[in-house]
């Protein structure tokens, strides 16, 4: 199901040429200098420039000089990696153009033994999935990515990973003016009360994959024309910010946050992550109704426990913990 012909167009572009053009911040560069440094013949350079233009890069040519005036919002792994500075997350990235689900691809890569922190991105998913087997609408313009994780020691970490990923995504979105992202338990990120991102942590029990987690993150960054059924409950980040959003930048912000939080998880420093989660979720003290295995529970949220999950003082008087994986929340 993974086919390298399906790699994102940006994965195939001439990275050194682009790096040289970007390195001078839109200034003119002599074509001869480009050709010489990149060891390209004149015609080959011309072809590479045409290829970049074909991908949507605005490149001007005048008097044997070349300059980059515009760059499209493509998922370009080298650009995401630029200045990423993470220890584990995103040391290697791959971007597909169109794929079934980045979570499935990440499982394949995990089975092949890729290093922890490997990231799979896609411009578009044809079988994106959400929590509880739901379909996840994933057209172009969104940020769809999955990360291979193998926390050591491999304790019960799914709850903590969802918690950390929610904080990482909400914090990154909050960096854009006008985007006051909040967290809704168990795995939604909202802006102005509408869902803009979701998180899906998966585990498998097959031999060789035990202890591996695939962390899937989907952010509706700039998907135009949401389907009718989503319009009332979902929103895009771009709709709330004046500034256009480059998905590579948002991806970098999320991966950086995630790396920092993941290192904290590995050190066992869970409390501060839960505190950040609580401060962005405003769920503490709220009444909640949860359906789990066909039973309905009502009560008041008292805390978020890194391992046990959401702590709810039930109307019957005692405190019960709920993990997010198999619950429905009634609002
Ligand atoms: C949810 O809110 O139900 C979770 C949605 C998770 C969607 C992401 S998009 C990238 C990754 N690949 C998938 O198929 N799903 C996750």
């Amino acid at each position: 199901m993974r086919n390298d012909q399906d790699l994102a167009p940006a994965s195939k572009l001439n990275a050194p040429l682009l790096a040289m053009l970007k390195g001078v911040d839109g200034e003119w560069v002599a074509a001869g200098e480009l050709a010489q440094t990149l060891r390209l013949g004149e015609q080959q350079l011309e072809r590479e420039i045409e290829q970049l233009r074909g991908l949507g890069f605005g490149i001007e040519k005048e008097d044997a000089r070349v300059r980059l005036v515009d760059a499209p919002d493509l998922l370009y792994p080298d650009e995401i990696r630029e200045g990423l500075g993470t220890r584990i997350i995103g040391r290697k990235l791959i971007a597909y153009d169109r794929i079934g689900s980045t979570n499935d691809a990440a499982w394949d890569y995990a089975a092949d033994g890729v290093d922890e922190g490997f990231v799979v991105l896609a411009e578009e998913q044809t079988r994106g999935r959400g929590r509880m087997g739901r379909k996840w609408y994933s057209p172009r313009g969104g940020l769809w990515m999955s990360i291979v994780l193998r926390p050591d020691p491999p304790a019960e970490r799914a709850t903590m990973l969802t918690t950390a990923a929610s904080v990482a995504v909400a914090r990154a979105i909050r960096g854009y003016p006008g985007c006051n992202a909040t967290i809704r338990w168990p795995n939604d990120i909202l802006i102005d009360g509408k869902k803009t991102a979701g998180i899906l942590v998966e585990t498998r029990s097959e031999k060789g994959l035990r202890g591996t987690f695939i962390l899937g993150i989907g952010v509706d960054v700039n998907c135009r024309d949401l389907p009718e059924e989503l319009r009332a409950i979902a929103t895009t980040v771009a709709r709330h910010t004046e500034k256009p959003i480059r998905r590579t930048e948002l991806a970098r912000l999320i991966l950086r946050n995630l790396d920092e939080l993941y290192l904290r998880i590995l050190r066992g420093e869970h409390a501060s992550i839960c505190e950040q989660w609580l401060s962005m979720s405003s769920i503490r003290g709220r009444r909640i109704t949860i359906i789990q295995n066909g039973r309905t529970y009502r009560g008041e949220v008292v805390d978020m426990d890194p391992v046990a999950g959401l702590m709810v003082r039930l109307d019957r008087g005692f405190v019960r913990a709920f993990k997010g994986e198999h619950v429905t929340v009634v609002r």
Side-chain angles (χ1 to χ4, degrees):
M1 65 140 276
R2 251 168 49 209
N3 185 346
D4 283 353
Q5 279 165 0
D6 297 333
L7 287 181
S11 302
K12 298 172 204 155
L13 51 76
N14 186 322
L17 170 59
L18 192 59
M20 271 189 84
L21 291 173
K22 280 172 57 187
V24 292
D25 261 341
E27 293 297 319
W28 291 103
V29 191
E33 189 188 327
L34 285 174
Q36 198 182 15
T37 315
L38 301 171
R39 296 175 191 277
L40 296 173
E42 208 178 302
Q43 282 182 354
Q44 215 181 339
L45 177 66
E46 198 58 49
R47 276 199 298 275
E48 299 287 2
I49 289 174
E50 276 318 305
Q51 200 197 1
L52 286 177
R53 280 183 174 148
L55 289 169
F57 287 88
I59 298 179
E60 288 181 350
K61 242 188 126 194
E62 185 185 288
D63 300 332
R65 299 179 310 167
V66 181
R67 70 172 174 182
L68 180 70
V69 287
D70 192 21
D73 180 29
L74 289 176
L75 291 176
Y76 175 31
D78 283 351
E79 191 173 294
I80 298 175
R81 210 176 293 115
E82 242 169 59
L84 186 60
T86 52
R87 291 264 301 277
I88 296 177
I89 314 282
R91 287 179 293 192
K92 281 210 177 118
L93 304 101
I94 191 157
Y96 285 88
D97 188 42
R98 189 175 221 238
I99 202 165
S101 155
T102 53
N103 265 34
D104 287 338
W107 277 118
D108 285 355
Y109 279 107
D112 288 352
V114 287
D115 284 342
E116 175 175 49
F118 188 87
V119 181
V120 183
L121 302 111
E123 295 282 359
E124 182 184 352
Q125 295 185 118
T126 53
R127 285 189 307 279
R129 61 173 173 272
R131 229 168 53 85
M132 315 214 359
R134 292 185 193 120
K135 240 177 95 180
W136 180 259
Y137 175 67
S138 333
R140 288 174 191 272
L143 182 59
W144 322 124
M145 63 180 178
S146 301
I147 303 148
V148 177
L149 296 171
R150 297 192 191 90
D152 185 19
E156 235 303 9
R157 307 269 183 171
T159 302
M160 200 56 223
L161 289 176
T162 306
T163 307
S166 304
V167 171
V169 174
R171 220 205 267 161
I173 295 177
R174 280 183 179 204
Y176 292 88
C179 296
N180 185 23
T182 53
I183 299 172
R184 181 173 66 190
W185 185 79
N187 68 333
D188 298 341
I189 310 300
L190 315 179
I191 304 179
D192 285 354
K194 288 188 176 181
K195 181 157 172 171
T196 195
I199 284 139
L200 178 68
V201 177
E202 294 181 327
T203 53
R204 285 191 182 170
S205 51
E206 288 135 68
K207 208 165 159 252
L209 288 174
R210 260 173 246 148
T212 298
F213 293 78
I214 300 299
L215 165 57
I217 297 177
V219 189
D220 199 338
V221 184
N222 192 18
C223 306
R224 287 173 230 283
D225 305 327
L226 289 172
E228 185 64 41
E229 70 272 19
L230 292 182
R231 257 174 242 162
I233 52 169
T235 190
T236 67
V237 184
R239 205 165 286 166
H240 299 267
T241 179
E242 310 88 53
K243 198 174 111 182
I245 295 187
R246 287 188 71 79
R247 289 171 306 150
T248 48
E249 182 192 73
L250 179 60
R252 202 185 301 129
L253 293 172
I254 293 174
L255 296 175
R256 226 181 253 150
N257 288 343
L258 199 58
D259 191 66
E260 184 217 313
L261 297 166
Y262 187 61
L263 290 170
R264 279 205 238 163
I265 294 179
L266 297 184
R267 292 195 297 263
E269 298 166 11
H270 299 153
S272 62
I273 303 175
C274 287
E275 269 316 309
Q276 283 189 39
W277 185 95
L278 281 164
S279 75
M280 289 198 249
S281 80
S282 66
I283 197 173
R284 195 156 35 189
R286 288 262 177 95
R287 285 197 58 76
I288 193 166
T289 302
I290 296 172
I291 302 174
Q292 191 181 47
N293 300 328
R295 290 190 63 180
T296 302
Y297 301 86
R298 286 196 188 84
E300 183 187 309
V301 177
V302 286
D303 208 351
M304 176 63 169
D305 182 90
V307 178
L310 197 71
M311 310 296 287
V312 182
R313 182 178 305 285
L314 298 177
D315 292 349
R316 279 171 282 162
F318 57 90
V319 174
R320 193 179 192 286
F322 293 89
K323 288 194 199 301
E325 285 100 77
H326 307 287
V327 300
T328 305
V329 184
V330 182
R331 313 209 189 261

